[in-house]
Amino acid sequence: MKSFIKPLQGKTVLDVGCGNGYHSWRMLGMGAELVIGVDPSPLFIMQFQAVKHFLGDKNIFVLPLGIESVPDNLQA
C-alpha cells in the first residue's frame, strides 16, 4: 500500500473508514502535514482519542462521520 500513496510529505490526507486511526498515524509518520480520518463508530473514536491523549497534540483528527457526511469540495 505504501508505494501507491507516496510521497506524503506536506500533504493533507483524508482517511475514510479510519477505524481507530492506526493507518492515519502511520501516514502522519510518513510525513503528511495533516491527517483527517472519518469513521462513524463511537468505539473507534474513543480509542483514537485515548491514543492521541498519550501521543500529544499532533495534526491528526478523527471525526465521527460517515462518508456520506463528508463535504464534496473537501480538498484532501
Side-chain angles (χ1 to χ4, degrees):
M1 179 173 109
K2 285 194 294 189
S3 62
F4 293 110
I5 60 174
K6 279 186 177 178
L8 290 177
Q9 283 72 24
K11 293 190 178 173
T12 298
V13 176
L14 175 64
D15 186 359
V16 177
C18 66
N20 62 14
Y22 173 79
H23 292 289
S24 298
W25 286 106
R26 298 291 305 265
M27 288 185 275
L28 189 71
M30 290 174 63
E33 179 78 21
L34 171 66
V35 180
I36 302 169
V38 294
D39 199 289
S41 171
L43 175 62
F44 290 144
I45 301 300
M46 295 310 296
Q47 289 173 343
F48 169 80
Q49 291 298 336
V51 170
K52 187 171 181 178
H53 171 80
F54 291 105
L55 293 180
D57 190 25
K58 309 280 186 194
N59 283 336
I60 183 170
F61 305 91
V62 172
L63 303 175
L65 304 172
I67 185 63
E68 66 281 350
S69 299
V70 174
D72 292 334
N73 62 349
L74 187 67
Q75 300 202 4

